[in-house]
Amino acid sequence: MRLWTLQQSVEFFMSDVHRKRMRTKSPPHSRERLCYCFLAFLLLGPHTIHAQLFGLTGANHPELHWQEIETEHFVLVYHQGLDSIARVAAPIAEEVYHVVTTNLETPLTKRIRIYLSDNDEERNAFAFQDDYIFIWLRGIIDDNLFSLRASGTSKWLRTVITHEFTHIVIAKATHTWIDNFLPLPQIPRWFNEGMARYMEPDGWTPDLDVPLRVAAVSSKLHLGLEDFLAGTLLYEGGQSLVRYIAATYGDSALVKILKYKSGTFYNFEEAVHATTKHSLNTIYEEWHKNLNVYYNTEFGQKEDIEDVTRKIPTGLDIVGAARLAPDGKRIAILGKRTPDEATKLFILENDTNSSAKLVTGEPGIEPYLSWSPDGKYVLFSKVRFGDHANLIYDLYRCEIPGGELERITSDARLEYPDWSPDDKTIVAAKFHRYGSDLVLLNADGTGERNLTHFNDDDVDVYSPRWSPDGRSVAFSIFRKNGMRDIASVTVSNSEIHDLTNDSINDRYPIWSPNGDSIVFISFQNQSPNLYAMPRTGITQRTELHELTDAASNVLAWDWSKNKDSILITSFVSRNSVQMYWLSAHRSVASAPMVALESKKYTAWRSVRWPLVTRTPDSIPSAIISGPYSYNSLAHVKPVFAFPLIGTDKSNDGRSGTQWGLTMLLSDEMQKHLFQFSTLYGTASNTLSYDLEYANNQLLPTISIGGGNMLGFQNVLEDIAYYEREPNAHLGLNFIFHTPNSLIKLHAVYVGGEWKQLEPWNSPAFESIGPEHRPIAASLVNLIAHYDFLTPLFQGGVSGIYSDKKIGSDLTYARFRAFIHHEFPLGEDEHNMIAFIARGEAQTGDEIPQDFLGFYKYDQFGEGFNLASVRAQERLRGIRRYYYGNRLLMGTFELRERDEFFSSLVPLLKAFEPQLVEFFDMGTTWYANAPTNNPGALVLPLSSTQWLKTAGVELRSELGFDISLDGGVGWELVKNSQADWFFRVSADL
C-alpha cells in the first residue's frame, strides 16, 4: 500500500473533518517558516505530500529500542520482542526479492530496509519509493468490512512483503531524475496497487470478486476515489485491469510499460500506447466491457436478495455491522447515513417503520457488536491511544440510548468481544504480533485468562460467539496452512472442535436460538453465501444446508428467536448496503455459472507471473548477520527539495526577485526532521538561510533552529516592508492524547527565541509618523502555547513575554486566545455553521512592524515571501488600517460543499472546496498607551467602533493549519465597495 495510502488506512476511525481539522502546533518561529515551506509544495495539489511523514512509525517512542539484522538484499529493522519474527521474515524477503526482480526484470543495487513493528495495532504497511518498507504486524486477515478481502491462503508476512517490495521495484523501474528532488508518483495508483496485488502469491481468489461484481451491476465500475468502496476497488479493480493487460498482451507488456523511457520524464500513458499499440482509454473501455459482461451474467444467475428477504428500513446508506438486542426489539447498527461520511453507532427501535437514531459518532469502533444480556449496553472494541500513545484496541461498553462510553480494559489489545448469556463473562480475541488467541474476562473487563492456547504467530482466531447455553464458543480460525474454517471451544476445558476443516474460506459463525445449528459465511461456490450446519460440525460438504445463493455478498449478524429469522446485510449497489430478515428455514441450491463462449471474459482471472512466492515451508533459509544496533541519524536523507521564489528589494528601493530552495530531510522513522531554506535576492544581493531541526526521539519533540532571513514581511502604511532577521529558537512540543478518544488532544509548546529586527528598506518610511515607522530591536522572547483540538471544536491560549531584564531591547507581553466551534447541519459534516472568536492583548512596548490591529492587505499584497508568510488579522471586506493593543474579533460562517465551481473547474474538485458565506465583526483599540507610543489615543471598550462585514468565499483546507481562501466581502455601511481577496489563512 504505497506511501500515499497510509492516511487512507486509518480512515475507519478518522472522519474527513478529523483529518482536516486535527493539527498539532509547531513553535511560532518554525511555523512561520517550515509550515509555509510546505505551502509552496501543497500548491501543487492537496495529495502530493506523502502521508508517511505524518504516519505512525517509531517517532516519539523512547520505550522502543531498535536493532537490525542483514541478509543479502535486505536489512530488517525491528524493536524489542520481535527478534524471532524478524528471523522468520528474512528468508521470506529473500524469496520475494528473487520472485519480484525476476518477474519485473529489474534488479536492485542496494539493500532495502524493512521495518517491523507491532507497537500500533495498525492493519497496514507502506513502501517509500525505492528506499524502504514499513510493516505493522497486525496484518490484514479477514476483518475488513463486508468480508471484501481474505487474500487467499497466504499469511501476512508472505503477502505483505511481496506486495510492498513490488512497489519498491516499480519505483526503481520508473525512476527519473526528478525523483531525487520531489518524489511524485510516476504511475497511476490503480496500476501501482494492481501490480502489487497481482504479484501476491495467491492469484485471483473468489472473495476479490465482490467489489467488482457489486460495482459492475451498479454501473459504477470506475477506479476513482469517489463513492463507497473506492479504496477496495482501487486495489482489486486495479489488479483486474493489470491482469487484463497481462492476459491480452502478455506479462512482458507490463515490464515494458514500467521500463519505457522516451526522454527525461516517465509518461505512463505514452508507455502503455508504445507497448500495446492501443491507448490507455481503449484498453480501459475494453476491460470495462468484459467485466460488465462477466459479472452481470453471473449476477443474473443468482438470487436477488431483495426477492427472498424482508428489507429493514434504517435510513442509512451503509449498514456495516448489526446486532439484535436480547429482547429482540432493538438493533445496534454501525453504519453511515451517506457513503462518504464517518461510520457511527445507531440504534433502530423498530424494524418496520422507524429510522436509526444516532448513539455516538466516536470513531474507531470495530464492526463487531455485542449486547449485554440486560440490554443496557452495547459492547465493542475500539482503537485508542494507549499508555505510550500507541494505537491499540480496548473494550468499551456504550450505554443505550445515552451514548456514554466506558472503557473496561487498558492496553489489552482485545477485539471481537461477545457477552456471555449469563452476563458474567466476555470472550474476545487477543492479538499478539501477528497471531491471536481467545481470552475470557469478567464482565467488568478484569480477570483476563486464555480460552485457547495456540500461542502461535501463524494462527489467527477471531469473531467468537457464545452458544445460547454458555458452554461453548464458536469462532473463525485462520490456520497455519492458510485455510479458514469454523471451530468451537468448550469453555470448561478449552477443548477445541473443528466444525469445518477443508475450506479455503469459512468464517463468522452465528448460533441458532436453541443452539443446535450454526450459520456461517462460506465462499465454497465462488461467492459469499450463508450455510447452516449442526453444532457438532460436518465431515463432508454435502451435510451443509445452503440458505442463500446471492451474488451481492451476504453476511449474517444474528438469529432472532422471536421471528426464527436471520439478521443479514447485503449490497444493493456500490453505494448501498442494507439490512434484511432472512427466513432460517429456507433452502436453495447453487445455480451453475453460465459458460461464456469466449475466454476473453475470464482469461484475466487465471493469468499468473512466471514466478510466485513459495510457501514458507518451501523457502530455503537465508544467511543472516547481526543483530546490530540501529542508528536513526545514519539514515537521514532528503525527502524532497522544492524551489522558492519571493519578491526582493534593495536598501534604496529597487525591486527584484528572490530565488531559492527549501529542502526537507528525515530519517525513515521521522525521529529527526531537518528543514533548510536558502534564498538569494537579485536586488538586495543578499543570501538568506534558515535551518530547523526537530528531534522526535523523546516524548516531547525538541525543536531548535535559526538563520538569517531577508525578505518581504508585510505592508505598512501602503509601503512594502522588508526586514532582515537573524534568529534562533529552542522549544518543546508535548502532545497529550485523551485516553478514550481519537479525536481529542491537548497540544502544549514552551520555548524561547532570540531575534534581531533589522528594517531593510528604512528610507522608504521616513515620511510617515514615528509611531508607525519600523524599528530595529533585539528581542528575547519566552513563548507558551496551549491548544485543545477536536474535529468540531478548537480552543487555545498563547503568550509571548519579552523583558529588558533578560536581554531584550523592549519589554512587552502579548496574549492571544481563540475559540473555533463548528456545528454540522445534520450529519453531513461538509455542511455546517461555524463560530470563530479571537481576542488579543498587548502590554508594555509595541513593535510598529508587527502591530496589533487590522491590516489593510492580504499576505500577497505588494509582495510575497513563501519562506516566511505571516498570518495577519483582517476583516474581509475592509481595507483600512486600525491600530491598538487590544483586539476582539468574531466570525459567523455558513459552510457548504461546493458543487458549482468544482463542476466548472475540475481541478478544484481535488481540493474539496467549500462555499462559505460569512459575517465578520471586530474592533481594536488602545486600552492604555504603549510605553514607546505615549501619544496613542486611549479609549474604553464601550467607545470603540465595531466594524462589520459580510461576503462569500471559496475555501480549501490544505491541512497543517493552512487554508486557501478567495472571495469578496462588503463592509456593512452605505455605499460600500466590493473587496475581492485571496489569502492564506491559519485559523489556529
mmCIF file with all atom_site columns, all heavy atoms in Angstrom, residues 690-703:
data_model
loop_
_atom_site.group_PDB
_atom_site.id
_atom_site.type_symbol
_atom_site.label_atom_id
_atom_site.label_alt_id
_atom_site.label_comp_id
_atom_site.label_asym_id
_atom_site.label_entity_id
_atom_site.label_seq_id
_atom_site.pdbx_PDB_ins_code
_atom_site.Cartn_x
_atom_site.Cartn_y
_atom_site.Cartn_z
_atom_site.occupancy
_atom_site.B_iso_or_equiv
_atom_site.pdbx_formal_charge
_atom_site.auth_seq_id
_atom_site.auth_comp_id
_atom_site.auth_asym_id
_atom_site.auth_atom_id
_atom_site.pdbx_PDB_model_num
ATOM 1   N N   . ASP A 1 690 ? 17.907 29.535 6.513  1.00 0.00 ? 690 ASP A N   1
ATOM 2   C CA  . ASP A 1 690 ? 17.183 29.176 7.724  1.00 0.00 ? 690 ASP A CA  1
ATOM 3   C C   . ASP A 1 690 ? 17.263 27.664 7.889  1.00 0.00 ? 690 ASP A C   1
ATOM 4   O O   . ASP A 1 690 ? 17.086 26.914 6.917  1.00 0.00 ? 690 ASP A O   1
ATOM 5   C CB  . ASP A 1 690 ? 15.717 29.609 7.634  1.00 0.00 ? 690 ASP A CB  1
ATOM 6   C CG  . ASP A 1 690 ? 14.973 29.363 8.933  1.00 0.00 ? 690 ASP A CG  1
ATOM 7   O OD1 . ASP A 1 690 ? 15.316 30.021 9.924  1.00 0.00 ? 690 ASP A OD1 1
ATOM 8   O OD2 . ASP A 1 690 ? 14.052 28.524 8.953  1.00 0.00 ? 690 ASP A OD2 1
ATOM 9   N N   . LEU A 1 691 ? 17.531 27.196 9.098  1.00 0.00 ? 691 LEU A N   1
ATOM 10  C CA  . LEU A 1 691 ? 17.629 25.769 9.384  1.00 0.00 ? 691 LEU A CA  1
ATOM 11  C C   . LEU A 1 691 ? 16.773 25.442 10.591 1.00 0.00 ? 691 LEU A C   1
ATOM 12  O O   . LEU A 1 691 ? 16.868 26.110 11.632 1.00 0.00 ? 691 LEU A O   1
ATOM 13  C CB  . LEU A 1 691 ? 19.086 25.362 9.660  1.00 0.00 ? 691 LEU A CB  1
ATOM 14  C CG  . LEU A 1 691 ? 19.313 23.897 10.064 1.00 0.00 ? 691 LEU A CG  1
ATOM 15  C CD1 . LEU A 1 691 ? 18.944 22.970 8.897  1.00 0.00 ? 691 LEU A CD1 1
ATOM 16  C CD2 . LEU A 1 691 ? 20.757 23.671 10.476 1.00 0.00 ? 691 LEU A CD2 1
ATOM 17  N N   . GLU A 1 692 ? 15.924 24.441 10.445 1.00 0.00 ? 692 GLU A N   1
ATOM 18  C CA  . GLU A 1 692 ? 15.085 23.972 11.541 1.00 0.00 ? 692 GLU A CA  1
ATOM 19  C C   . GLU A 1 692 ? 15.375 22.496 11.772 1.00 0.00 ? 692 GLU A C   1
ATOM 20  O O   . GLU A 1 692 ? 15.547 21.720 10.827 1.00 0.00 ? 692 GLU A O   1
ATOM 21  C CB  . GLU A 1 692 ? 13.596 24.124 11.187 1.00 0.00 ? 692 GLU A CB  1
ATOM 22  C CG  . GLU A 1 692 ? 13.178 25.520 10.758 1.00 0.00 ? 692 GLU A CG  1
ATOM 23  C CD  . GLU A 1 692 ? 13.092 26.489 11.917 1.00 0.00 ? 692 GLU A CD  1
ATOM 24  O OE1 . GLU A 1 692 ? 12.993 26.019 13.069 1.00 0.00 ? 692 GLU A OE1 1
ATOM 25  O OE2 . GLU A 1 692 ? 13.149 27.704 11.670 1.00 0.00 ? 692 GLU A OE2 1
ATOM 26  N N   . TYR A 1 693 ? 15.416 22.092 13.039 1.00 0.00 ? 693 TYR A N   1
ATOM 27  C CA  . TYR A 1 693 ? 15.617 20.686 13.380 1.00 0.00 ? 693 TYR A CA  1
ATOM 28  C C   . TYR A 1 693 ? 14.630 20.295 14.466 1.00 0.00 ? 693 TYR A C   1
ATOM 29  O O   . TYR A 1 693 ? 14.454 21.022 15.459 1.00 0.00 ? 693 TYR A O   1
ATOM 30  C CB  . TYR A 1 693 ? 17.045 20.447 13.874 1.00 0.00 ? 693 TYR A CB  1
ATOM 31  C CG  . TYR A 1 693 ? 17.241 19.082 14.507 1.00 0.00 ? 693 TYR A CG  1
ATOM 32  C CD1 . TYR A 1 693 ? 17.096 17.916 13.757 1.00 0.00 ? 693 TYR A CD1 1
ATOM 33  C CD2 . TYR A 1 693 ? 17.553 18.963 15.862 1.00 0.00 ? 693 TYR A CD2 1
ATOM 34  C CE1 . TYR A 1 693 ? 17.274 16.668 14.334 1.00 0.00 ? 693 TYR A CE1 1
ATOM 35  C CE2 . TYR A 1 693 ? 17.743 17.721 16.440 1.00 0.00 ? 693 TYR A CE2 1
ATOM 36  C CZ  . TYR A 1 693 ? 17.589 16.577 15.676 1.00 0.00 ? 693 TYR A CZ  1
ATOM 37  O OH  . TYR A 1 693 ? 17.748 15.337 16.246 1.00 0.00 ? 693 TYR A OH  1
ATOM 38  N N   . ALA A 1 694 ? 13.971 19.151 14.272 1.00 0.00 ? 694 ALA A N   1
ATOM 39  C CA  . ALA A 1 694 ? 13.064 18.598 15.276 1.00 0.00 ? 694 ALA A CA  1
ATOM 40  C C   . ALA A 1 694 ? 13.532 17.200 15.637 1.00 0.00 ? 694 ALA A C   1
ATOM 41  O O   . ALA A 1 694 ? 13.758 16.364 14.758 1.00 0.00 ? 694 ALA A O   1
ATOM 42  C CB  . ALA A 1 694 ? 11.630 18.560 14.754 1.00 0.00 ? 694 ALA A CB  1
ATOM 43  N N   . ASN A 1 695 ? 13.686 16.962 16.924 1.00 0.00 ? 695 ASN A N   1
ATOM 44  C CA  . ASN A 1 695 ? 14.101 15.654 17.426 1.00 0.00 ? 695 ASN A CA  1
ATOM 45  C C   . ASN A 1 695 ? 12.881 14.985 18.052 1.00 0.00 ? 695 ASN A C   1
ATOM 46  O O   . ASN A 1 695 ? 12.341 15.459 19.051 1.00 0.00 ? 695 ASN A O   1
ATOM 47  C CB  . ASN A 1 695 ? 15.222 15.807 18.455 1.00 0.00 ? 695 ASN A CB  1
ATOM 48  C CG  . ASN A 1 695 ? 15.772 14.468 18.905 1.00 0.00 ? 695 ASN A CG  1
ATOM 49  O OD1 . ASN A 1 695 ? 15.037 13.623 19.396 1.00 0.00 ? 695 ASN A OD1 1
ATOM 50  N ND2 . ASN A 1 695 ? 17.076 14.281 18.746 1.00 0.00 ? 695 ASN A ND2 1
ATOM 51  N N   . ASN A 1 696 ? 12.457 13.877 17.431 1.00 0.00 ? 696 ASN A N   1
ATOM 52  C CA  . ASN A 1 696 ? 11.262 13.166 17.885 1.00 0.00 ? 696 ASN A CA  1
ATOM 53  C C   . ASN A 1 696 ? 11.598 11.869 18.615 1.00 0.00 ? 696 ASN A C   1
ATOM 54  O O   . ASN A 1 696 ? 10.772 10.962 18.683 1.00 0.00 ? 696 ASN A O   1
ATOM 55  C CB  . ASN A 1 696 ? 10.370 12.839 16.686 1.00 0.00 ? 696 ASN A CB  1
ATOM 56  C CG  . ASN A 1 696 ? 9.811  14.070 16.038 1.00 0.00 ? 696 ASN A CG  1
ATOM 57  O OD1 . ASN A 1 696 ? 9.303  14.957 16.708 1.00 0.00 ? 696 ASN A OD1 1
ATOM 58  N ND2 . ASN A 1 696 ? 9.909  14.148 14.726 1.00 0.00 ? 696 ASN A ND2 1
ATOM 59  N N   . GLN A 1 697 ? 12.777 11.765 19.177 1.00 0.00 ? 697 GLN A N   1
ATOM 60  C CA  . GLN A 1 697 ? 13.157 10.524 19.837 1.00 0.00 ? 697 GLN A CA  1
ATOM 61  C C   . GLN A 1 697 ? 12.552 10.414 21.226 1.00 0.00 ? 697 GLN A C   1
ATOM 62  O O   . GLN A 1 697 ? 12.343 9.304  21.728 1.00 0.00 ? 697 GLN A O   1
ATOM 63  C CB  . GLN A 1 697 ? 14.685 10.413 19.923 1.00 0.00 ? 697 GLN A CB  1
ATOM 64  C CG  . GLN A 1 697 ? 15.354 10.281 18.567 1.00 0.00 ? 697 GLN A CG  1
ATOM 65  C CD  . GLN A 1 697 ? 16.798 9.850  18.686 1.00 0.00 ? 697 GLN A CD  1
ATOM 66  O OE1 . GLN A 1 697 ? 17.141 8.703  18.469 1.00 0.00 ? 697 GLN A OE1 1
ATOM 67  N NE2 . GLN A 1 697 ? 17.654 10.784 19.060 1.00 0.00 ? 697 GLN A NE2 1
ATOM 68  N N   . LEU A 1 698 ? 12.282 11.530 21.883 1.00 0.00 ? 698 LEU A N   1
ATOM 69  C CA  . LEU A 1 698 ? 11.716 11.524 23.215 1.00 0.00 ? 698 LEU A CA  1
ATOM 70  C C   . LEU A 1 698 ? 10.228 11.850 23.153 1.00 0.00 ? 698 LEU A C   1
ATOM 71  O O   . LEU A 1 698 ? 9.687  12.181 22.101 1.00 0.00 ? 698 LEU A O   1
ATOM 72  C CB  . LEU A 1 698 ? 12.452 12.532 24.101 1.00 0.00 ? 698 LEU A CB  1
ATOM 73  C CG  . LEU A 1 698 ? 13.969 12.328 24.213 1.00 0.00 ? 698 LEU A CG  1
ATOM 74  C CD1 . LEU A 1 698 ? 14.593 13.435 25.047 1.00 0.00 ? 698 LEU A CD1 1
ATOM 75  C CD2 . LEU A 1 698 ? 14.288 10.967 24.798 1.00 0.00 ? 698 LEU A CD2 1
ATOM 76  N N   . LEU A 1 699 ? 9.561  11.764 24.286 1.00 0.00 ? 699 LEU A N   1
ATOM 77  C CA  . LEU A 1 699 ? 8.127  12.035 24.295 1.00 0.00 ? 699 LEU A CA  1
ATOM 78  C C   . LEU A 1 699 ? 7.825  13.484 23.935 1.00 0.00 ? 699 LEU A C   1
ATOM 79  O O   . LEU A 1 699 ? 6.930  13.733 23.131 1.00 0.00 ? 699 LEU A O   1
ATOM 80  C CB  . LEU A 1 699 ? 7.530  11.670 25.659 1.00 0.00 ? 699 LEU A CB  1
ATOM 81  C CG  . LEU A 1 699 ? 7.422  10.161 25.913 1.00 0.00 ? 699 LEU A CG  1
ATOM 82  C CD1 . LEU A 1 699 ? 6.886  9.890  27.305 1.00 0.00 ? 699 LEU A CD1 1
ATOM 83  C CD2 . LEU A 1 699 ? 6.527  9.502  24.875 1.00 0.00 ? 699 LEU A CD2 1
ATOM 84  N N   . PRO A 1 700 ? 8.538  14.484 24.480 1.00 0.00 ? 700 PRO A N   1
ATOM 85  C CA  . PRO A 1 700 ? 8.356  15.807 23.885 1.00 0.00 ? 700 PRO A CA  1
ATOM 86  C C   . PRO A 1 700 ? 9.233  15.929 22.651 1.00 0.00 ? 700 PRO A C   1
ATOM 87  O O   . PRO A 1 700 ? 10.374 15.457 22.626 1.00 0.00 ? 700 PRO A O   1
ATOM 88  C CB  . PRO A 1 700 ? 8.819  16.768 24.986 1.00 0.00 ? 700 PRO A CB  1
ATOM 89  C CG  . PRO A 1 700 ? 9.828  15.997 25.759 1.00 0.00 ? 700 PRO A CG  1
ATOM 90  C CD  . PRO A 1 700 ? 9.397  14.555 25.684 1.00 0.00 ? 700 PRO A CD  1
ATOM 91  N N   . THR A 1 701 ? 8.702  16.528 21.620 1.00 0.00 ? 701 THR A N   1
ATOM 92  C CA  . THR A 1 701 ? 9.515  16.842 20.448 1.00 0.00 ? 701 THR A CA  1
ATOM 93  C C   . THR A 1 701 ? 10.344 18.081 20.750 1.00 0.00 ? 701 THR A C   1
ATOM 94  O O   . THR A 1 701 ? 9.801  19.109 21.170 1.00 0.00 ? 701 THR A O   1
ATOM 95  C CB  . THR A 1 701 ? 8.623  17.083 19.230 1.00 0.00 ? 701 THR A CB  1
ATOM 96  O OG1 . THR A 1 701 ? 8.017  15.854 18.842 1.00 0.00 ? 701 THR A OG1 1
ATOM 97  C CG2 . THR A 1 701 ? 9.424  17.620 18.061 1.00 0.00 ? 701 THR A CG2 1
ATOM 98  N N   . ILE A 1 702 ? 11.628 17.972 20.560 1.00 0.00 ? 702 ILE A N   1
ATOM 99  C CA  . ILE A 1 702 ? 12.535 19.094 20.814 1.00 0.00 ? 702 ILE A CA  1
ATOM 100 C C   . ILE A 1 702 ? 12.829 19.766 19.491 1.00 0.00 ? 702 ILE A C   1
ATOM 101 O O   . ILE A 1 702 ? 13.295 19.129 18.544 1.00 0.00 ? 702 ILE A O   1
ATOM 102 C CB  . ILE A 1 702 ? 13.843 18.607 21.462 1.00 0.00 ? 702 ILE A CB  1
ATOM 103 C CG1 . ILE A 1 702 ? 13.544 17.845 22.747 1.00 0.00 ? 702 ILE A CG1 1
ATOM 104 C CG2 . ILE A 1 702 ? 14.775 19.788 21.735 1.00 0.00 ? 702 ILE A CG2 1
ATOM 105 C CD1 . ILE A 1 702 ? 14.758 17.145 23.333 1.00 0.00 ? 702 ILE A CD1 1
ATOM 106 N N   . SER A 1 703 ? 12.540 21.047 19.404 1.00 0.00 ? 703 SER A N   1
ATOM 107 C CA  . SER A 1 703 ? 12.786 21.779 18.165 1.00 0.00 ? 703 SER A CA  1
ATOM 108 C C   . SER A 1 703 ? 13.806 22.874 18.409 1.00 0.00 ? 703 SER A C   1
ATOM 109 O O   . SER A 1 703 ? 13.805 23.539 19.442 1.00 0.00 ? 703 SER A O   1
ATOM 110 C CB  . SER A 1 703 ? 11.482 22.384 17.630 1.00 0.00 ? 703 SER A CB  1
ATOM 111 O OG  . SER A 1 703 ? 10.906 23.262 18.575 1.00 0.00 ? 703 SER A OG  1
#
